[in-house]
Amino acid sequence: MQLYKNQQIKVYNSLTGKKETFQPITEGYVGMYVCGPTVYSNVHLGNVRTFMSFDMVFRYLKHLGYKIRYVRNITDAGHLENDADVGEDKITKKARLEEIEPMEIVQRYTVDFHNVINTFNLLPPSIEPTATGHIIEQIELISTIIDNGFAYEVNGSVYFDVHKYNETNDYGILSKRKLEDLIHNTRALDGQSDKKNPQDFALWKKAEPTHIMRWPSPWSDGFPGWHLECTAMSTKYLGEQFDIHGGGMDLKFPHHECEIAQNQAAKGKSPVNYWMHANMLELNGARMSKSTGNYINPAELLSGKNDIMSKAYNPNVVRFFMMQSAYRSVLDLTDNGLLASEKGFNRLMNAVDDLEKLKTSNTSSFDVKAWKQKCYDAMNDDFNTPILIANLFEAVNHINAIKEGSATISKEDLEIFKSAIHTFVFDLLGLNNAKDTAEGTDKLSGAVQLLIKLRQEARANKDFALSDKIRDELAEVGITLNDSRDGTTFSTN
């Protein structure tokens, strides 16, 4: 069904800084590109939030009947430390430290990435290209940019000439930065002396003798710049201009800004009509950072093996928590927030189960079709999942009222209601009915907390034999107690 003909979507376009009516380049078809992970370490929860946000967008566009090609890349070469043009390749560095091949690192963390996003019920993209699989396309793109006068070669490396480009274009059109300000705030860095200007960025880097990942090119044996790969892969599979480009807010500058410049320099046109950016995920009100210890990865969150959360959380609860915040808002991951989301998730799933038991009447006491359109209106307003979820809890209240006999629903309206609930809860929010699992986790937590309390009382009474017995017998069934200055937590094996 071509529902999109009756549902008008407004999308917040980072390029213009306002919500705009979504009009695909070709009616009924959508091309969407999202910057994927650099596979040198376990996937970050912040990345999970970004990919989950665009999974939700993908699901909704598909539901409306668009034929959508969703491309999400894998960066397996060319991404240097600190997102810079100097330094060591992130993947190569990890391979050197572990004394294995770079492609072993790539394989390990690509598998980890897929396992994690499958756990959170993300749909696979239409195409998942890799940077190393598109070296030829990147070399051809560089050659075109050089021929058009916007890049130069020095000592085997090729750089994009930002100042030359800015004479006829606007470098900063997406991030709203001015080149004059960038010049003023740029300090000279070692290893950048080959550039005409510090603001220029690498399209191709000549490989040092110790650099493992390298390919032949007209300029040197080397490797492509990080920004270039997304331009090459997005335009190969979606065309010189396509509808949506997504990614995390942290990629807006310089990565996405450079993509626009590269495409404009090579093709003479801006590549994307709608730029969309998912905002950051914080942890307990502060930036997630391994260096400060304010960090938790997906496996730790789901297993409970951490010192930050009070318990393990079901992936559906985590997904529900993330969907309760608009994708453009900063989201603070907290234990209290997850506990509240768990209760809300279970309440929603209870209501979904109760739908099957509702008795019908000759009339309905509420307008099901109007409620259904309110849900669409929420999604049409820049994919506003918090408002959608508020509407779903309005439905929960109706379900409970019908169940208690204080409201009525007709047979026809009940079928519409069931179908709509299923669509918005499972198809669009991407949740599974894991209420039983979540409740089981909750009951386990309660039982273990009781044993922890008994153990604390035993230790206070110097009954160390009983204290050790509780700890050891829990360990035998896969539950580990973790003592710290702040108290005792548990994790499951």
Side-chain angles (χ1 to χ4, degrees), residues 14 174-175 248-258 277:
S14 296
L174 178 65
S175 61
M249 193 74 74
D250 56 321
L251 296 180
K252 185 183 290 188
F253 185 88
H255 187 55
H256 291 161
E257 194 75 70
C258 293
H277 291 92

Side-chain angles (χ1 to χ4, degrees), residues 253-359:
F253 185 88
H255 187 55
H256 291 161
E257 194 75 70
C258 293
E259 282 191 60
I260 292 175
Q262 289 164 165
N263 207 78
Q264 192 78 40
K267 313 293 185 182
K269 58 186 72 172
S270 184
V272 181
N273 284 349
Y274 304 91
W275 285 90
M276 297 177 64
H277 291 92
N279 217 322
M280 310 304 289
L281 181 69
E282 294 182 342
L283 180 60
N284 291 326
R287 179 177 176 271
M288 273 204 202
S289 172
K290 286 184 178 179
S291 61
T292 63
N294 193 53
Y295 180 83
I296 184 171
N297 68 33
E300 291 168 338
L301 181 63
L302 300 181
S303 68
K305 296 179 180 178
N306 63 82
D307 297 325
I308 298 173
M309 302 299 173
S310 63
K311 55 178 287 184
Y313 288 98
N314 185 280
N316 283 282
V317 170
V318 177
R319 181 164 185 136
F320 185 65
F321 170 79
M322 291 189 177
M323 290 292 105
Q324 286 182 289
S325 177
Y327 76 92
R328 288 195 292 118
S329 301
V330 174
L331 177 58
D332 188 16
L333 183 70
T334 67
D335 194 46
N336 287 338
L338 286 167
L339 288 169
S341 288
E342 185 173 66
K343 291 178 181 177
F345 174 78
N346 289 334
R347 183 172 171 234
L348 180 60
M349 291 304 138
N350 281 328
V352 170
D353 290 345
D354 287 341
L355 266 175
E356 302 302 321
K357 308 167 191 173
L358 294 184
K359 294 181 180 179

Side-chain angles (χ1 to χ4, degrees), residues 86-97:
V86 294
E88 197 167 6
D89 180 285
K90 292 184 177 184
I91 292 166
T92 301
K93 180 178 180 179
K94 192 65 172 283
R96 178 176 57 77
L97 290 172

